[in-house]
Amino acid sequence: MRPLYAQAIELVSASESAVLTAVDMGCGAGIETSDLLRRGWNVIAVDQELSSISTVVELAQRQSNQNLRTICSSFE
């Protein structure tokens, strides 16, 4: 995990009833996306590489997680 992600996730404290959503811009290998899904977040994963999108979809399927939306696109 990237250090900035680790710092940011520590700052977020939410009640169990809160629905949290994150956008992972440039999701790459899906490390942060996978962690967010494990924590119960809804995640929108964006990457211009179809292989990266495939990777995060596979990670979510392994976790039996339905909280993932993917977008195969550049940031522009």
Side-chain angles (χ1 to χ4, degrees), residues 19-49:
V19 176
L20 300 171
T21 301
V23 179
D24 188 353
M25 301 296 289
C27 61
I31 295 168
E32 288 87 7
T33 294
S34 180
D35 186 63
L36 289 163
L37 292 170
R38 184 184 57 77
R39 293 172 185 266
W41 288 56
N42 294 314
V43 180
I44 302 168
V46 181
D47 203 289
Q48 68 181 0
E49 298 295 328

Side-chain angles (χ1 to χ4, degrees), residues 10 13 20 31 37 39 47-48 51 54 56 59 63 65 71:
E10 286 181 26
S13 66
L20 300 171
I31 295 168
L37 292 170
R39 293 172 185 266
D47 203 289
Q48 68 181 0
S51 60
S54 297
V56 296
L59 289 169
Q63 294 178 2
N65 196 305
I71 300 173

